[in-house]
């Protein structure tokens, strides 16, 4: 119970958590471990994980309160946390209110939705609910105190995003690559058939579906490594969140595995320019990492909720974000505004090539407009456009 309460306070202890409106992920994992440990120690069944496909990644730590409740423990007095919700919106905020007002607040929320978690104390409460009534869920806080860091997530959008990735995984070709395996194979993490085609043309024979919407498991990556048929393997995670999993696979594999720390698809493409199938994994990894560092990556994504401060102020739901290695570099009201603004920051004197990879949400007309803008703004830079078909990001950029 104390760990659950401590987890709920983590947004007040780290500014980055407070800005994102989430609890500490490592703390959430530790709380889950403690809960399972307690169940084993006292002989009670470990509650099965609820089907939570409708929840975003940021909701998972708060869902641990539901597991504790199912096991007979109610940390901080959470109410009604019942696993998967059919309600459309997730509302989260920090509530400054006197402790004696919280019981009435919970009663109001009980009539508005489910998956309710209210934890905290001493005047500060972390509140989470799934509901179809966003307005009343926020007004309930105004009746007892002052809400802040309010975040509203459309769970239906997240279900659609997850469905796309799962369908891609289900449709992934299962046929083994033909021909004799090379000395060193490359396993690449990616999503989108167009991106796979480009990787294949650069020598990749083995793929694991994953990316920003779904990180692959250790077992999935390990199976691809073990099934490569090659004596050595180079892993391209192509996403910062996949790096730790890839490193774990390298430690578990039955053959030499080297991880090239690519944090984007375009870095993966650049790395493969130095790939030699007949060289060892260590030599390949060294040269491929150097090649990946020479590309300047960028991406454009749409904000699905109001959240942290951007370079020009608060980010609103529906804004388009231009992302660089350093985070949000541009916030625009249109896809073109964000894409052109980001490229204007990424392209510098001495750059020669801009690679544009179209994903879901990009159109031929928008890409043509962007190419024409680049030709006018940077007349000495060549532009290549490829269809990647990736989810989440309408555009991925590589500047070299």
């Amino acid at each position: 119970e104390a760990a659950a309460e401590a987890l709920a306070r983590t947004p007040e202890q780290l500014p980055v958590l407070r800005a994102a409106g989430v609890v500490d992920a490592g703390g959430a994992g530790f709380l889950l471990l403690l809960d399972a440990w307690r169940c084993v120690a006292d002989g009670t069944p470990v509650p099965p994980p609820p089907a939570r496909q409708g929840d975003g990644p940021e909701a998972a730590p708060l869902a641990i309160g539901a597991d504790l409740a199912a096991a007979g423990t109610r940390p901080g007095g959470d109410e009604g946390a019942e696993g998967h919700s059919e309600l459309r919106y997730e509302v989260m905020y920090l509530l400054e209110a006197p402790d004696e007002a919280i019981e009435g607040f919970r009663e109001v929320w009980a009539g508005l939705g489910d998956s309710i978690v209210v934890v905290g104390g001493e005047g500060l409460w972390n509140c989470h609910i799934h509901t179809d009534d966003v307005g009343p869920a926020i007004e309930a806080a105004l009746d007892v105190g002052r809400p802040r860091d309010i975040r509203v997530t459309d769970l239906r959008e997240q279900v659609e995003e997850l469905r796309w990735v799962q369908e891609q995984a289900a449709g992934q070709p299962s046929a083994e690559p033909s021909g004799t395996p090379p000395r060193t194979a490359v396993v690449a993490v990616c999503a989108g058939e167009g991106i796979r085609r480009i990787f294949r043309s650069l020598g990749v024979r083995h793929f694991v579906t994953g990316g920003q919407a779904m990180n692959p498991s250790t077992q999935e990556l390990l199976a691809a490594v073990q099934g490569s048929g090659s004596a050595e393997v180079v892993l391209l995670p192509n996403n910062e969140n996949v790096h730790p999993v890839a490193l774990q696979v390298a430690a578990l594999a039955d053959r030499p595995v080297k991880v090239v720390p690519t944090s984007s698809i375009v870095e993966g493409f650049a790395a493969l320019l130095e790939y030699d199938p007949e060289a060892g994994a260590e030599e390949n990894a060294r040269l491929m990492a150097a090649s990946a560092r020479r590309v300047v990556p960028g991406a454009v994504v749409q904000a699905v909720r109001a959240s942290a401060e951007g370079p020009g102020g608060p980010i609103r739901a529906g804004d388009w974000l231009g992302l660089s290695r350093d985070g949000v570099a541009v916030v625009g009201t249109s896809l073109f505004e964000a894409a052109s603004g980001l490229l204007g920051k990424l392209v510098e004197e001495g750059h020669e090539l801009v690679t544009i990879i179209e994903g879901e949400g990009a159109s031929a007309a928008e890409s043509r407009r962007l190419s024409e803008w680049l030709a006018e703004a940077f007349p000495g830079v060549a532009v290549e456009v490829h269809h990647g078909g990736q989810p989440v990001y309408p555009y991925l950029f590589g500047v070299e």
Side-chain angles (χ1 to χ4, degrees), residues 29-169:
F30 184 59
L31 178 57
L32 180 60
L33 174 64
L34 290 176
D35 189 30
W37 190 5
R38 179 187 58 78
C39 290
V40 172
D42 66 15
T44 58
V46 177
R52 304 188 67 84
Q53 289 186 3
D55 292 356
E58 74 285 351
L62 289 172
I64 292 173
D67 299 334
L68 289 169
T73 303
R74 289 186 172 275
D78 61 314
E79 293 285 345
E82 298 174 352
H84 178 63
S85 171
E86 296 299 325
L87 300 172
R88 176 159 185 174
Y89 297 101
E90 175 188 64
V91 179
M92 298 172 63
Y93 50 73
L94 293 175
L95 173 60
E96 295 177 358
D99 294 6
E100 58 270 18
I102 296 303
E103 183 176 354
F105 170 77
R106 286 197 185 101
E107 291 178 359
V108 173
W109 259 24
L112 295 175
D114 62 21
S115 297
I116 295 171
V117 178
V118 180
V119 293
E122 299 180 359
L124 184 63
W125 302 83
N126 199 324
C127 306
H128 169 280
I129 186 174
H130 291 178
T131 182
D132 284 331
D133 300 312
V134 175
I138 297 173
E139 290 167 2
L142 296 172
D143 290 338
V144 298
R146 184 173 74 90
R148 56 188 175 88
D149 297 341
I150 300 170
R151 300 198 313 123
V152 179
T153 301
D154 187 336
L155 299 177
R156 191 173 301 168
E157 287 185 1
Q158 296 187 338
V159 169
E160 286 301 305
E161 178 182 292
L162 182 58
R163 175 197 58 77
W164 192 99
V165 177
Q166 290 173 331
E167 287 178 356
Q168 291 296 306

Side-chain angles (χ1 to χ4, degrees), residues 12-373:
E12 294 305 302
Q13 297 168 323
L14 283 176
V16 65
L17 299 178
R18 182 167 59 251
V22 297
V23 295
D24 182 77
F30 184 59
L31 178 57
L32 180 60
L33 174 64
L34 290 176
D35 189 30
W37 190 5
R38 179 187 58 78
C39 290
V40 172
D42 66 15
T44 58
V46 177
R52 304 188 67 84
Q53 289 186 3
D55 292 356
E58 74 285 351
L62 289 172
I64 292 173
D67 299 334
L68 289 169
T73 303
R74 289 186 172 275
D78 61 314
E79 293 285 345
E82 298 174 352
H84 178 63
S85 171
E86 296 299 325
L87 300 172
R88 176 159 185 174
Y89 297 101
E90 175 188 64
V91 179
M92 298 172 63
Y93 50 73
L94 293 175
L95 173 60
E96 295 177 358
D99 294 6
E100 58 270 18
I102 296 303
E103 183 176 354
F105 170 77
R106 286 197 185 101
E107 291 178 359
V108 173
W109 259 24
L112 295 175
D114 62 21
S115 297
I116 295 171
V117 178
V118 180
V119 293
E122 299 180 359
L124 184 63
W125 302 83
N126 199 324
C127 306
H128 169 280
I129 186 174
H130 291 178
T131 182
D132 284 331
D133 300 312
V134 175
I138 297 173
E139 290 167 2
L142 296 172
D143 290 338
V144 298
R146 184 173 74 90
R148 56 188 175 88
D149 297 341
I150 300 170
R151 300 198 313 123
V152 179
T153 301
D154 187 336
L155 299 177
R156 191 173 301 168
E157 287 185 1
Q158 296 187 338
V159 169
E160 286 301 305
E161 178 182 292
L162 182 58
R163 175 197 58 77
W164 192 99
V165 177
Q166 290 173 331
E167 287 178 356
Q168 291 296 306
Q172 186 173 332
S174 57
E176 291 295 320
S178 59
T180 304
R183 173 186 172 184
T184 298
V186 174
V187 174
V189 178
C190 63
E193 185 52 40
I195 287 178
R196 285 197 189 95
R197 280 197 301 271
I198 299 172
F199 272 128
R200 286 192 196 100
S201 72
L202 294 170
V204 178
R205 296 160 55 91
H206 306 276
F207 301 92
V208 175
T209 298
Q212 190 64 21
M214 181 184 289
N215 295 333
S217 68
T218 303
Q219 184 57 43
E220 288 174 304
L221 277 174
L222 186 60
V225 168
Q226 309 286 56
S228 67
S230 295
E232 302 180 46
V233 173
V234 170
L235 264 174
L236 295 179
N238 301 324
N239 188 290
E240 286 187 356
N241 292 335
V242 184
H243 284 180
V245 181
L247 291 172
Q248 188 174 20
V249 169
L252 294 172
D254 62 359
R255 67 203 67 195
V257 175
K258 294 296 180 181
V259 178
V260 177
T262 51
S263 58
S264 66
I265 293 295
V266 291
E267 288 176 306
F269 292 160
L272 288 162
L273 299 177
E274 294 290 342
Y275 169 50
D276 179 358
E278 299 310 316
E282 185 169 354
E283 180 183 358
N284 266 305
R286 177 174 54 82
L287 295 174
M288 292 170 72
S291 183
R293 285 193 295 269
R294 287 195 288 269
V295 69
V296 180
V300 180
V301 67
Q302 190 170 32
V304 296
R305 66 183 72 87
S307 60
E309 294 282 321
I315 297 171
R316 300 167 299 178
D319 282 345
W320 291 93
L321 312 179
L323 310 177
S324 70
R325 274 196 178 116
D326 298 324
V328 178
V330 174
V331 178
T333 57
S334 69
L335 176 57
F336 176 78
E337 182 183 353
S340 59
L342 177 62
L343 287 170
K345 290 179 177 291
L346 297 182
V347 181
E348 298 177 352
E349 185 177 354
H351 284 144
E352 300 173 343
L353 173 66
V354 173
T355 302
I356 300 174
I357 304 173
E358 299 173 324
E360 285 195 339
S363 66
E366 196 79 68
S367 299
R368 185 167 57 251
R369 182 185 178 193
L370 196 56
S371 298
E372 291 171 353
W373 178 86

